[in-house]
Amino acid sequence: MITLVEPSAPLHDAWLASMREFEGAVLHGYSTFGFEVDELAEPAGFERWLERERLQNRRALDGFVPATAWWIVDDAEPGRVLGSIHLRHELNDWLLAEGGHIGYGVRPSARGRGVATAALRLVLDRARAMGIERVLICCEDNAASRATNLGAGGELEDVRVGEDGGRVERYWIDLR
């Protein structure tokens, strides 16, 4: 069973290992904006990131909306971080256009096992409990993300060209 846990020092090394599996690719859903992996590997850098996440959970910081990040773990291997998922409590103009409420990333070695689907369902429950009635999830032209979004009840609203010129698919999930 998949569980979402708050970021913490005991799983710091496991989180770093999950990020390093991406081998420099974009860390969607990891909420590392403004931090490099090498900086996050250092205790002081990790503590700065952790404090930012705690504050971000309660209020907007540094131009970002309030948000919560969780690490995805499997009860069978609670010491291994499988990925990360990020719930933005509200949308600004950019998030409405191409970012959405939720971002997630699953380490390459854990893909294809339903990890993203299970984590997304858990975050949708938390969004509902927060009073969010409709959730926007966006993805690039990615078959696995598309299947996850559709499997969670997402309805495709449109496909747009993003800031970087790539294709952005926008899915709404009604939580009412």
Side-chain angles (χ1 to χ4, degrees):
M1 177 195 271
I2 297 299
T3 304
L4 303 181
V5 300
E6 291 183 15
S8 65
L11 285 174
H12 178 222
D13 289 339
W15 179 61
L16 288 170
S18 75
M19 288 192 293
R20 288 189 173 123
E21 263 191 41
F22 284 85
E23 298 179 345
V26 176
L27 294 167
H28 294 288
Y30 272 73
S31 187
T32 57
F33 313 108
F35 289 85
E36 298 296 326
V37 175
D38 290 342
E39 179 183 5
L40 293 168
E42 298 298 322
F46 175 69
E47 191 54 44
R48 281 192 305 278
W49 176 84
L50 202 54
E51 182 58 23
R52 185 196 69 183
E53 290 303 305
R54 287 181 190 127
L55 292 172
Q56 191 81 27
N57 193 327
R58 297 188 302 273
R59 67 176 197 261
L61 291 175
D62 304 322
F64 294 97
V65 300
T68 304
W70 294 276
W71 293 342
I72 305 166
V73 298
D74 185 333
D75 291 346
E77 282 186 275
R80 183 171 185 247
V81 173
L82 302 178
S84 185
I85 192 162
H86 187 207
L87 171 64
R88 298 164 193 108
H89 305 172
E90 57 193 55
L91 298 176
N92 59 23
D93 290 342
W94 186 85
L95 292 171
L96 182 60
E98 62 181 278
H101 283 97
I102 299 172
Y104 54 84
V106 174
R107 70 190 299 163
S109 65
R111 292 180 183 160
R113 300 185 331 196
V115 171
T117 299
L120 179 56
R121 286 188 179 130
L122 292 171
V123 168
L124 291 174
D125 288 342
R126 292 178 187 209
R128 186 179 296 109
M130 291 174 64
I132 299 172
E133 294 182 350
R134 291 178 69 222
V135 171
L136 175 65
I137 303 178
C138 300
C139 69
E140 297 170 355
D141 191 8
N142 177 315
S145 291
R146 182 179 305 114
T148 298
N149 297 342
L150 289 169
E155 293 184 22
L156 181 64
E157 179 174 77
D158 60 21
V159 179
R160 301 178 176 191
V161 176
E163 280 182 356
D164 64 359
R167 175 185 154 112
V168 177
E169 300 174 15
R170 298 173 65 251
Y171 296 85
W172 285 97
I173 300 174
D174 192 335
L175 299 178
R176 294 171 278 190

